[in-house]
């Protein structure tokens, strides 16, 4: 009887639900490795539909003689190969010369806008580091231009730049007397200054927000130690703030460059379908070449050239900045 007791007890233990089980079966490496890609699959599919498919279609259109005669069934447009690209880069012909002028205007506009946005945003972020009464309200006011919809913000500037009853001429000419007569801001050479003003006003709060977030990671002890050593405010900014913000500024400058170079909404709302020659950005120029002259083949070729240029600039910028990070002490 005593010999059969352990055997019966073992049988009950095996049949009970709470009996000891063997080691749990862990998911395989393939299953674990494929889970992140499975979670990213919806976003990748949307990216494919929204961005990559139109890019491929645009590249195909650039190889066709797609004009208003074939717009109803663009697949029947004849193939012309690289002729649209040859026309776009022929800087002795009217089309190429106009594209080169637009490209140079866009380069100058982008460099000035990005530089001023970064400078104003960084100065405001450094100023906002000190605690004072009303700092939270002032921060919120600084972000208003960035939070406003583009159309609402730019159309307000359109009214302000009006020749007869605009606020800008009222202040500069009527109140301050800085000009001999009211200026035309939306036509002529002044259109470049108007476009630059609106772009900086709309873009510097983003730089302010990013730099202000980066400043939170700089220990205050560094500034206190520098102050004890006799370093002034400018020396602290030069020796502590700017080197510490280098990774943030590298990303910020690249994002601002891409956004500004491709900006279409601001000049289109500010000037309409036909931008002045002094403010003929390449985004509006490509729009005019495609939807005004109805030459979608040439417009698509210009878009592909713009894409290649931005890819090259981005690649060179990333290589140079990564090399700078590796050689930094």
């Amino acid at each position: 009887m005593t010999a059969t007791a352990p055997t019966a007890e073992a049988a009950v233990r095996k049949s009970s639900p709470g009996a000891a089980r063997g080691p749990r079966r862990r998911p395989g490496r393939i299953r674990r490795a494929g889970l992140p890609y499975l979670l990213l699959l919806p976003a990748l599919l949307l990216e494919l539909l929204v961005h990559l498919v139109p890019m491929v279609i645009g590249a195909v259109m650039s190889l066709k003689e797609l004009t208003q005669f074939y717009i109803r069934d663009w697949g029947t447009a004849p193939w012309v190969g690289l002729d649209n690209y040859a026309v776009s880069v022929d800087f002795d012909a009217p089309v190429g010369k106009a594209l080169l002028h637009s490209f140079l205007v866009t380069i100058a506009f982008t460099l000035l806008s990005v530089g001023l946005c970064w400078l104003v945003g960084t100065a405001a972020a450094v100023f906002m580091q000190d605690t004072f009464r009303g700092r939270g309200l002032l921060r919120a006011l600084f972000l208003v231009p960035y939070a406003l919809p583009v159309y609402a913000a730019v159309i307000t500037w359109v009214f302000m730049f009006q020749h007869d009853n605009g606020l800008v001429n009222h202040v500069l000419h009527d109140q301050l007397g800085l000009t001999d007569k009211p200026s035309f801001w939306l036509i002529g050479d002044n259109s470049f200054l108007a476009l630059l003003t609106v772009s900086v006003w709309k873009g510097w709060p983003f730089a302010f927000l990013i730099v202000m977030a980066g400043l939170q990671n700089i220990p205050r002890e560094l500034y206190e130690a520098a102050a004890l050593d006799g370093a002034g405010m400018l020396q602290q900014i030069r020796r502590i703030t700017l080197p510490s913000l280098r990774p943030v500024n590298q990303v910020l400058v690249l994002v601002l460059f891409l956004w500004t170079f491709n900006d279409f909404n601001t000049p289109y709302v500010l000037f309409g379908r036909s931008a002045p020659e002094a403010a003929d950005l390449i985004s509006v120029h490509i729009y005019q070449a495609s939807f005004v002259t109805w030459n979608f083949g040439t417009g698509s070729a210009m878009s592909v050239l713009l894409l290649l240029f931005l890819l090259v600039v981005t690649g060179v910028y990333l290589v140079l900045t990564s090399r700078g990070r590796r050689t930094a002490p």
Side-chain angles (χ1 to χ4, degrees):
M1 183 175 179
T2 57
T4 58
T7 305
E9 185 180 353
V12 172
R13 192 184 305 118
K14 290 181 180 180
S15 61
S16 61
R21 298 187 179 94
R24 292 185 177 181
R25 187 177 181 182
R26 298 180 179 178
R29 293 183 179 180
I30 298 178
R31 187 176 180 182
R32 291 198 305 268
L35 181 60
Y37 298 100
L38 182 63
L39 296 177
L40 288 175
L41 185 60
L44 292 176
L45 291 177
L46 290 176
E47 183 74 15
L48 181 67
L49 293 175
V50 175
H51 293 286
L52 295 182
V53 172
M55 287 171 56
V56 173
I57 294 177
V60 174
M61 290 171 59
S62 67
L63 303 176
K64 288 175 169 286
E65 188 183 355
L66 185 57
T67 59
Q68 67 268 29
F69 303 107
Y70 301 99
I71 194 61
R72 186 173 182 178
D73 188 8
W74 67 274
T76 60
W79 290 89
V80 294
L82 300 179
D83 290 351
N84 291 325
Y85 295 91
V87 172
S88 301
V89 298
D90 186 6
F91 300 134
D92 294 329
V95 175
K97 186 180 298 184
L99 181 63
L100 178 61
H101 173 267
S102 177
F103 176 76
L104 295 178
V105 170
T106 308
I107 288 289
F109 165 74
T110 302
L111 294 178
L112 289 174
S113 179
V114 171
L116 291 175
C117 286
W118 177 85
L119 181 62
V120 176
T122 302
V126 172
F127 173 73
M128 285 295 169
Q129 287 302 106
D130 296 332
T131 304
F132 56 89
R133 185 184 298 273
R135 184 179 65 168
L137 177 61
L138 200 56
R139 283 179 175 179
L141 292 177
F142 282 174
L143 295 177
V144 168
Y146 180 70
L148 283 176
V150 176
Y151 183 83
V154 178
I155 202 66
T156 303
W157 279 99
V158 172
F159 289 110
M160 294 173 60
F161 281 130
Q162 291 297 318
H163 177 265
D164 297 325
N165 52 6
L167 180 61
V168 176
N169 280 335
H170 176 69
V171 173
L172 295 180
H173 176 68
D174 299 338
Q175 294 186 347
L176 300 180
L178 298 179
T179 57
D180 297 335
K181 57 183 180 179
S183 303
F184 289 95
W185 294 101
L186 300 179
I187 59 176
D189 295 336
N190 290 332
S191 59
F192 183 85
L193 295 177
L195 179 61
L196 182 62
T197 301
V198 178
S199 177
V200 174
W201 177 85
K202 188 170 59 70
W204 78 265
F206 176 76
F208 162 73
L209 185 64
I210 299 302
V211 173
M212 186 174 60
L215 289 175
Q216 307 301 319
N217 296 323
I218 302 177
R220 300 300 302 175
E221 292 79 6
L222 295 178
Y223 294 100
E224 295 174 358
L228 291 176
D229 292 338
M233 181 178 179
L234 294 179
Q235 291 179 335
Q236 294 179 16
I237 294 175
R238 180 183 177 187
R239 301 294 183 181
I240 299 176
T241 305
L242 293 181
S244 300
L245 290 176
R246 182 177 300 172
V248 176
N249 285 329
Q250 288 174 352
V251 178
L252 174 62
V253 170
L254 179 60
V255 172
L256 286 176
F257 176 81
L258 295 177
W259 283 0
T260 307
F261 204 96
N262 287 315
D263 190 12
F264 173 80
N265 296 327
T266 301
Y268 184 80
V269 177
L270 196 62
F271 304 116
R273 299 178 62 181
S274 180
E277 185 177 0
D280 185 23
L281 298 187
I282 196 167
S283 57
V284 180
H285 187 85
I286 294 176
Y287 167 81
Q288 293 175 348
S290 301
F291 294 94
V292 176
T293 62
W294 295 93
N295 196 337
F296 293 96
T298 304
S300 299
M302 294 178 182
S303 299
V304 174
L305 291 175
L306 174 61
L307 174 63
L308 295 177
F309 169 76
L310 293 179
L311 288 177
V312 170
V313 171
T314 303
V316 172
Y317 179 83
L318 293 177
V319 169
L320 293 179
T321 52
S322 62
R323 184 180 301 173
R325 286 195 300 267
R326 290 196 299 265
T327 58

